[in-house]
Amino acid sequence: MKKNYFLFALILLSSISMLRAQKIDNLIELKQKSQNPLFHQLGKAIKTPAFESEGYWSWGSSVVKGDDGKYHMFVSRFPKSLPFHPGWMVASEIVHAVSNVPQGPYQFSEVALPARGAQYWDGRSTHNPRILKYNHKYYLIYMGSTHPFVDPTYDQLTLNSPWCTVARSNKRIGLAVADSPYGPWKRLDEPILKTKPNTFFSFLTSNPSPVVQEDGSVMMIFKGRRHMEDGKYSNMALGIAYAPTIEGPYRVLNNEQPIFQVAGQGEAEDPFLWKDDKGYHAIFKDHVAKFTGEKGGGVMAHSKDGINWTVDKDPKAYSKTVEWEDGTIAKQGQLERPFILFEDGKPTFIFFATMDGPGEFENGTHSWNMVIPLK
């Protein structure tokens, strides 16, 4: 009996090892055979977090090289005294962290955009930071929100609670300006991209990803949602906005129609936009696995004008399954908010917000910002 048990255990361990080897070979093979301009160039992810904050959930980040030669990360965080989802809607703050090298780790410097009172449109939460440097000034484009209630407890804050409903409906895109990455930051008292009735962004605007063009104008991908119907939120859609300068005014292009929507290309969020001599390019989260077959994987798309988009012929830009520098491979609970750092016009690193746990926000215990070198 003992011999049979030992034999069974040995076979089981051997099977697990073989499955793991297949998983490793499959990911590596997928990357090697990929024709996607990003996926096959992903190196091994750095094990040391680019940024984490004790006692806080940390999420999406954006990096810029400063006049001081250091690298400056702007990243959102919110206290672990609240559940991850929807804690970010009601209590997030954007903080500044610094590193001597682009891959980090980044050390906390100060809170860049703290809570400033419920009377402000962004008074209770700042999130989704995108940092831009232009004409010796620094610009933070971000999502902000507010609500009029006292701070909730962990158990009170649910997706159906008044805090979440009101804070979600107040999500807007705004701007802060500073002469230095260390601040002080001048925040605008009005959003730069508000909602508009009878459009795909009538309920909220968020997830901004801007690029400054050669003439100083800005193209910005963002996420919108229509108002709730029958107690349900509409599907997410991505749109494109334009402004003659970073400070605006911004207007939504494409006759105020989305450029990616669930009825067409598939539901998407967390876009990252960039531009080169070939046109505009974007990666975003494949929210319902329509493009890549992987829910939460990354999609790449291209456009000549920023309005008419074509998904890459090999669309998979990244996977939630990550190859780490120590040779291990693991599927992350979440992998969101991609940001590519360009230096001298070349992509060098891609940053992600990530989390442990088997697939859902409710199961995670630890979140951090990770970085993958680009070959």
Side-chain angles (χ1 to χ4, degrees):
M1 188 72 175
K2 288 183 178 179
K3 287 183 179 180
N4 290 339
Y5 178 80
F6 177 77
L7 182 62
F8 173 77
L10 190 63
I11 292 172
L12 180 63
L13 287 172
S14 176
S15 299
I16 292 172
S17 297
M18 288 177 64
L19 286 171
R20 183 178 180 275
Q22 287 177 347
K23 185 178 179 182
I24 291 173
D25 291 342
N26 185 49
L27 178 67
I28 294 173
E29 183 180 355
L30 281 175
K31 288 167 64 176
Q32 289 175 341
K33 291 185 176 181
S34 173
Q35 298 299 307
N36 186 278
L38 179 64
F39 190 47
H40 80 283
Q41 292 190 21
L42 292 179
K44 295 183 179 181
I46 297 172
K47 218 35 167 166
T48 301
F51 178 83
E52 59 183 344
S53 186
E54 186 175 356
Y56 289 86
W57 303 107
S58 63
W59 211 232
S61 66
S62 180
V63 175
V64 68
K65 189 174 184 179
D67 295 320
D68 56 2
K70 297 180 183 294
Y71 293 85
H72 299 268
M73 173 184 280
F74 291 84
V75 54
S76 54
R77 71 175 191 180
F78 44 104
K80 280 194 165 184
S81 58
L82 295 175
F84 181 94
H85 188 45
W88 59 273
M89 287 189 212
V90 301
S92 181
E93 60 185 8
I94 294 174
V95 303
H96 171 217
V98 184
S99 174
N100 290 323
V101 292
Q103 66 269 31
Y106 286 78
Q107 301 301 317
F108 173 82
S109 177
E110 74 279 331
V111 179
L113 301 183
R116 60 172 177 166
Q119 70 272 31
Y120 291 97
W121 69 272
D122 62 347
R124 302 302 291 270
S125 181
T126 56
H127 203 65
N128 295 154
R130 280 290 184 256
I131 184 68
L132 302 171
K133 181 185 174 187
Y134 184 72
N135 279 351
H136 307 292
K137 284 187 178 292
Y138 295 84
Y139 297 87
L140 258 178
I141 292 181
Y142 62 98
M143 184 279 290
S145 185
T146 191
H147 65 82
F149 310 114
V150 297
D151 292 335
T153 65
Y154 191 101
D155 292 334
Q156 286 176 321
L157 186 60
T158 67
L159 291 174
N160 296 319
S161 66
W163 290 273
C164 178
T165 301
V166 173
R168 192 193 296 269
S169 69
N170 282 328
K171 289 167 61 177
R172 305 288 185 270
I173 294 171
L175 175 69
V177 187
D179 293 326
S180 163
Y182 296 92
W185 292 92
K186 179 183 178 183
R187 291 152 74 167
L188 303 187
D189 289 337
E190 293 288 337
I192 59 172
L193 191 59
K194 300 180 180 181
T195 56
K196 185 175 180 179
N198 300 318
T199 66
F200 75 93
F201 55 101
S202 65
F203 185 51
L204 60 81
T205 62
S206 68
N207 288 183
S209 184
V211 291
V212 182
Q213 305 189 103
E214 296 81 0
D215 61 357
S217 64
V218 173
M219 291 282 275
M220 180 173 71
I221 285 185
F222 69 98
K223 182 178 83 174
R225 262 182 162 158
R226 296 182 186 275
H227 269 86
M228 293 177 65
E229 294 182 3
D230 300 324
K232 296 181 179 180
Y233 297 112
S234 70
N235 292 310
M236 297 175 288
L238 300 182
I240 189 85
Y242 169 85
T245 69
I246 298 176
E247 297 192 17
Y250 286 79
R251 60 184 178 90
V252 178
L253 303 180
N254 197 32
N255 295 317
E256 298 182 335
Q257 296 298 310
I259 56 173
F260 291 99
Q261 59 183 318
V262 69
Q265 299 89 345
E267 194 171 14
E269 65 170 338
D270 287 351
F272 176 77
L273 175 71
W274 73 99
K275 185 182 182 184
D276 59 22
D277 56 2
K278 295 181 180 179
Y280 299 92
H281 313 277
I283 52 175
F284 55 85
K285 178 183 173 183
D286 191 358
H287 193 67
V288 292
K290 181 170 182 178
F291 300 97
T292 65
E294 179 187 3
K295 185 178 179 180
V299 183
M300 176 174 279
H302 312 276
S303 174
K304 291 294 185 183
D305 57 7
I307 297 173
N308 300 289
W309 288 82
T310 301
V311 173
D312 196 87
K313 61 181 180 180
D314 194 349
K316 194 179 192 70
Y318 58 85
S319 172
K320 286 173 67 176
T321 300
V322 175
E323 181 185 8
W324 296 96
E325 60 185 344
D326 62 3
T328 61
I329 287 186
K331 184 177 181 179
Q332 299 303 99
Q334 298 290 342
L335 194 73
E336 297 190 345
R337 305 300 301 158
F339 171 82
I340 300 174
L341 178 65
F342 288 84
E343 297 194 83
D344 299 322
K346 296 180 180 179
T348 56
F349 294 92
I350 183 168
F351 294 78
F352 291 98
T354 192
M355 176 182 277
D356 63 0
E360 298 298 334
F361 292 116
E362 293 80 4
N363 300 324
T365 62
H366 178 216
S367 68
W368 68 101
N369 278 262
M370 60 175 283
V371 60
I372 301 177
L374 296 174
K375 299 175 184 177

